[in-house]
Amino acid sequence: MPEIATKIVEICGFNFADKSPRYLLLKRSEKDRLYPGSWQIVTGTIEPGERAVEAGLRELKEETGLTPKRFWIVPHINSFYVADEDTLHHTIFFAAEFDDSDQIILSGEHQSFAWMKYDDAKDSLVWPGQKKGLEIVHEYIA
């Protein structure tokens, strides 16, 4: 029987430029063994003993160098199945607002970043669950 795991957080970052939201997407390193070169939102693993909110804030800092000025729990759970592990993963989804002057410092996990308008961000994301989370953030939070 498949295991159900909740070990991953996803954070949809955004800021405002000219009163319009722009969404932060990170491009995975070409050296990454899983999905090299694909665009994604901030994604990371919850460490043992860590709360999901703590993991979300830590992953933002590790992957971008940023601390959000506002942070939300988004009413969306992304899920995906990993056949090698026989595990169904449920990810906890957050939103984070940044100032448009904040400077990003990428970790080695990513090769570049972009602040994208909603339609461009949605078109660039690969995973349906991240697209749905972006939709919810855009409609209800940003």
Side-chain angles (χ1 to χ4, degrees), residues 52-115:
V53 169
E54 295 166 342
L57 293 168
R58 178 184 49 74
E59 287 292 340
L60 278 173
K61 191 70 166 170
E62 288 177 4
E63 294 187 9
T64 68
L66 299 178
T67 300
K69 68 180 191 176
R70 297 174 70 192
F71 195 71
W72 293 265
I73 299 166
V74 178
H76 171 65
I77 300 293
N78 189 4
S79 60
F80 59 93
Y81 176 71
V82 177
D84 292 348
E85 301 172 359
D86 194 28
T87 302
L88 176 63
H89 289 269
H90 293 302
T91 67
I92 300 168
F93 210 92
F94 299 102
E97 182 180 356
F98 303 101
D99 287 322
D100 65 349
S101 61
D102 286 345
Q103 299 297 309
I104 292 182
I105 302 168
L106 289 177
S107 71
E109 296 176 51
H110 301 96
Q111 60 180 315
S112 61
F113 71 91
W115 291 101

